[in-house]
Amino acid sequence: MESGLYLPGDGIIHRWHPRTKLALALASFPVAFADVWLWHGVPLGPWLGVAFLLGLALLNGSATFRTLVRRAALLLGPILISIILINGFFFPGAENVLLQIGPFDLRSEGLLFGAIVFSRLSLIAFATLLLVIATHPADLTQGLTQVGIPREVAYIILTALQLIPRMQARAESISSAQRARGLRTEGGLSVRARALLPLVGPLITSALQDTEERALALEARAFRAPGPKTFWRQLYDTPAQRVARWALLLGSLALFIWARFQ
């Protein structure tokens, strides 16, 4: 089975039960919106959560830490740029001008609002990335079904985790085949732009074929048949992890409620 965004390893987080890592990711949402430890209106709580997650990743191994930082930068970098451009220049009602670029004004109110949004998104992104990096998709799917989530929903989540890596691998394979037939796919920006159109057709066609093959494979394996299912991969849980899961979820909710009613 393709492992998608999963990074193979045997660190401490890899050995956690998938539901424990899922609870850690879910706990990031209340913490991100709790708005605690404000600095000029920007919550510092999410950044303390990010520092905690980075510490966990480093404890799990240097490869996990580097992968987490690299993927978070690739994910959050474009978001940060868009937040600065949209909120900084076009935030409604902003008056304090920091910088003027032609007809556009960079205003502090928009940057402040963008900093709040980016803080929240950063914690959620780091927690979610750590979950998918340290959890095999099959283990995550099995963990979800064990808590009562329908198999169809769990399979959709599994497919979503594998979608981007599968499309990247398929695009590289098609591009290599086109280069072998004499098509230029490497070079300047204009060359890459011209090579994009011949890539789209085969990519969509192969994706549709893959969807049909997956549907036939699921039907052959009685995916929708009633009754309990058995799993080849075995998951091991401990009482300490069960306590930790409830502590994470209840603790994050308590922090959110305390911050909102304070």
Side-chain angles (χ1 to χ4, degrees):
M1 177 181 291
E2 297 180 7
S3 56
L5 299 176
Y6 170 68
L7 178 68
D10 192 33
I12 183 173
I13 304 179
H14 280 82
R15 296 193 296 268
W16 285 357
H17 195 279
R19 292 203 299 267
T20 304
K21 290 173 277 191
L22 182 62
L24 180 63
L26 293 176
S28 68
F29 285 84
V31 175
F33 288 90
D35 292 343
V36 293
W37 301 299
L38 300 178
W39 181 74
H40 295 290
V42 180
L44 299 181
W47 293 110
L48 294 177
V50 169
F52 173 74
L53 293 174
L54 288 174
L56 282 178
L58 189 59
L59 182 65
N60 194 67
S62 59
T64 304
F65 179 82
R66 291 194 302 269
T67 302
L68 177 61
V69 172
R70 182 174 64 253
R71 291 180 179 175
L74 292 174
L75 175 63
L76 294 173
I79 295 176
L80 177 60
I81 295 174
S82 63
I83 285 177
I84 293 175
L85 293 177
I86 295 174
N87 292 285
F89 289 99
F90 304 104
F91 189 75
E95 298 179 354
N96 187 20
V97 178
L98 297 177
L99 179 65
Q100 188 174 13
I101 304 177
F104 303 107
D105 296 328
L106 183 66
R107 303 180 185 271
S108 61
E109 293 89 346
L111 292 178
L112 183 62
F113 178 79
I116 296 173
V117 174
F118 187 72
S119 297
R120 294 169 175 171
L121 290 178
S122 296
L123 176 57
I124 296 173
F126 270 91
T128 305
L129 285 173
L130 184 60
L131 168 67
V132 298
I133 288 173
T135 310
H136 194 282
D139 294 341
L140 180 59
T141 304
Q142 183 177 348
L144 292 174
T145 57
Q146 288 179 352
V147 297
I149 294 179
R151 293 192 296 270
E152 292 81 1
V153 176
Y155 180 75
I156 291 174
I157 297 175
L158 172 65
T159 304
L161 293 176
Q162 296 176 339
L163 178 62
I164 294 178
R166 287 176 65 89
M167 295 296 287
Q168 288 178 339
R170 188 178 293 115
E172 291 176 359
S173 177
I174 295 173
S175 181
S176 299
Q178 291 176 340
R179 284 197 301 270
R181 290 171 173 82
L183 180 66
R184 289 187 61 191
T185 61
E186 296 179 344
L189 182 61
S190 60
V191 175
R192 293 179 180 271
R194 287 195 300 269
L196 182 61
L197 187 60
L199 178 65
V200 173
L203 187 62
I204 295 177
T205 302
S206 61
L208 294 176
Q209 292 175 346
D210 180 70
T211 301
E212 183 180 4
E213 292 174 358
R214 279 176 170 250
L216 293 175
L218 291 175
E219 193 68 25
R221 296 172 183 176
F223 179 75
R224 299 183 62 87
K229 300 290 184 179
T230 57
F231 295 92
W232 177 66
R233 300 175 66 93
Q234 298 296 319
L235 303 179
Y236 300 98
D237 201 1
T238 61
Q241 291 194 62
R242 288 192 287 269
V243 172
R245 289 196 291 269
W246 283 107
L248 284 169
L249 295 175
L250 296 178
S252 61
L253 288 175
L255 179 63
F256 176 79
I257 295 173
W258 173 79
R260 288 297 176 177
F261 287 93
Q262 186 182 23

